Amino acid sequence: MAAAAVQTALHTPVPAIRGVKTTPMGKPKFQLPLQRPLPPAAYFKSPFDPFKHLAYHTMPARHTMADIGLENQGISTIGVSEPFELFTPEAVCTMRNEVLSDEVWDNCRFSSSIAACQLRGMAPQYAKFVYDAWSNPETLRIVSEIAGVDLVPVMDYEIAHINVSVNDNPDGENQAAPVVNWHRDSYPFVCVLMLSDASEMKGGETALKTGSGEIMKVRGPQMGSAVVLQGRYIEHIALPSTNCRERITMVTSFRPKNPIIADDSQLLTVRPVSDLSEIYNQWTDYRVEIAEERCKSLIKGIREKKRVGRDFDVDGVKGQLSDLIKFLQKTHDEIVDPAQYQINDSEEEREEQASTRMKKRARMT
């Protein structure tokens, strides 16, 4: 394989992610989370400091894609990690204050058929500390080391996506709704950080669907801890929890740092819960930049072969050009006019029924 060719050794294309129906958010049906934040001036006293705010110390246990029955899929051999300490209590407190502020709640709140309440697109405008935390080279080194491949945030809009689930009767038998229903992510990797006190939480594991259709569970993280998941290629759900008032998780999505590695990102699940103007701008920016880097790599390889007197590699060059065309076509296809984006109700109902069956199976295992 030519050096400039898109890397596909582990990569197998995944099925298209099902559509997501947006529901009007309006005012939340539940009370705002406990421990409401202070005014910004009262908590943002210093920028993110990796020596002060990172709590990571030991490589966690990891499950490979082969362990999950999905060998040779994805961009890494690593499928999911067990929970690991990532941020200190002080860092988590600052993050909560930023992402649960009134300005975020008022300007960045969405709801859809797979999640009742999501906060998206607040960094860096409304969440500078959060943005700096996930952009810091040491944080990226930790996440990449656990994932088994060098990663960077997909784009600013996908830094610190917040999922909120509230249980109005934490002492009773009723369960809080799943934070997010069964799904595959739109992007290759995610790092999911717990922002709630989960010390007495019952349930709340992440359930994964293996290649054989069985359910595998990974225990949920505690406050300040996280899990890394190759979520684009593994169908998963955050199971309901009891004995807790709230469950708030922060999800940052990642793509390969190396532009030559295959990137299966798409917007199907996030398009309905996004500011389309902003996410389309950032999507186009990063995708065209990757295409540019691949073009540079291609022409560099062609010139080098010519310089040393080698024949023109017809099949190799045409293969790389075909990959570029597919990549740009995917970039184009994901930019959908909102007026043209519709979800068939009957299809949505079938997906909901299938999701309900999977939830029951996950709880019984």
Side-chain angles (χ1 to χ4, degrees):
M1 181 182 294
V6 175
Q7 294 182 9
T8 58
L10 295 172
H11 175 256
T12 300
V14 298
I17 300 174
R18 72 178 178 89
V20 176
K21 182 185 295 182
T22 306
T23 56
M25 188 65 233
K27 293 295 182 181
K29 296 179 181 179
F30 46 75
Q31 296 179 0
L32 298 181
L34 300 179
Q35 303 175 21
R36 290 292 291 158
L38 301 170
Y43 65 81
F44 191 73
K45 299 179 180 179
S46 62
F48 177 79
D49 181 346
F51 297 102
K52 180 180 181 182
H53 295 125
L54 282 174
Y56 179 77
H57 52 82
T58 305
M59 170 68 75
R62 298 176 295 173
H63 304 280
T64 67
M65 294 294 280
D67 294 335
I68 304 171
L70 299 172
E71 192 172 8
N72 297 324
Q73 294 193 36
I75 62 170
S76 170
T77 59
I78 303 301
V80 62
S81 76
E82 292 290 338
F84 59 94
E85 290 184 275
L86 183 56
F87 293 111
T88 64
E90 180 181 346
V92 171
C93 181
T94 303
M95 289 177 170
R96 281 183 61 102
N97 277 319
E98 283 194 335
V99 303
L100 297 179
S101 66
D102 288 336
E103 56 188 357
V104 169
W105 199 260
D106 291 340
N107 295 294
C108 304
R109 190 168 79 256
F110 297 90
S111 179
S112 75
S113 58
I114 65 170
C117 182
Q118 298 175 318
L119 307 173
R120 289 176 48 75
M122 76 283 295
Q125 182 177 0
Y126 302 121
K128 294 180 175 59
F129 182 91
V130 165
Y131 179 83
D132 290 344
W134 289 108
S135 302
N136 187 271
E138 184 61 15
T139 307
L140 296 180
R141 184 196 67 78
I142 292 168
V143 174
S144 297
E145 183 178 74
I146 294 170
V149 60
D150 285 340
L151 300 172
V152 292
V154 174
M155 45 190 161
D156 289 354
Y157 202 87
E158 297 301 346
I159 290 176
H161 164 119
I162 307 297
N163 293 314
V164 180
S165 177
V166 173
N167 185 356
D168 290 326
N169 184 25
D171 298 323
E173 296 181 355
N174 294 334
Q175 294 180 316
V179 176
V180 180
N181 287 324
W182 282 101
H183 66 289
R184 288 188 183 90
D185 297 329
S186 285
Y187 309 111
F189 267 95
V190 292
C191 184
V192 183
L193 173 71
M194 177 61 75
L195 294 184
S196 296
D197 181 1
S199 57
E200 298 184 8
M201 180 185 296
K202 297 178 182 178
E205 305 95 335
T206 297
L208 314 176
K209 184 178 179 181
T210 69
S212 64
E214 298 300 312
I215 302 300
M216 170 183 170
K217 290 183 181 179
V218 176
R219 64 186 175 90
Q222 298 297 310
M223 180 180 279
S225 294
V227 296
V228 169
L229 170 69
Q230 197 166 185
R232 180 68 178 91
Y233 307 92
I234 305 171
E235 192 168 0
H236 57 282
I237 185 175
L239 293 175
S241 58
T242 58
N243 207 40
C244 61
R245 173 72 178 87
E246 59 162 53
R247 185 182 181 191
I248 303 175
T249 54
M250 175 182 288
V251 183
T252 296
S253 297
F254 294 88
R255 57 180 170 88
K257 180 179 181 180
N258 185 346
I260 305 304
I261 296 178
D263 181 356
D264 276 326
S265 296
Q266 63 178 39
L267 300 179
L268 189 59
T269 61
V270 298
R271 189 185 300 114
V273 288
S274 301
D275 177 333
L276 292 183
S277 178
E278 186 61 37
I279 200 169
Y280 284 168
N281 267 290
Q282 294 187 24
W283 167 262
T284 304
D285 187 299
Y286 109 73
R287 299 281 289 193
V288 172
E289 186 175 83
I290 287 179
E292 179 183 19
E293 291 301 315
R294 291 182 180 179
C295 286
K296 289 179 179 178
S297 179
L298 172 59
I299 195 63
K300 180 179 179 181
I302 291 173
R303 289 170 176 169
E304 179 62 20
K305 286 187 176 182
K306 182 179 180 181
R307 186 184 68 81
V308 298
R310 293 185 179 178
D311 292 338
F312 185 84
D313 181 4
V314 174
D315 291 339
V317 170
K318 291 187 71 172
Q320 292 177 60
L321 290 173
S322 293
D323 288 338
L324 272 169
I325 291 169
K326 292 176 183 177
F327 183 83
L328 289 171
Q329 186 65 52
K330 181 66 174 177
T331 304
H332 166 277
D333 292 346
E334 291 301 306
I335 303 173
V336 179
D337 186 326
Q340 300 174 352
Y341 185 74
Q342 297 180 347
I343 299 296
N344 182 278
D345 286 341
S346 60
E347 176 184 347
E348 187 70 22
E349 290 171 4
R350 287 195 297 271
E351 293 289 353
E352 280 298 320
Q353 291 170 0
S355 178
T356 299
R357 290 194 296 270
M358 290 291 288
K359 290 176 200 173
K360 291 180 179 178
R361 287 181 58 194
R363 292 171 192 167
M364 290 188 293
T365 57

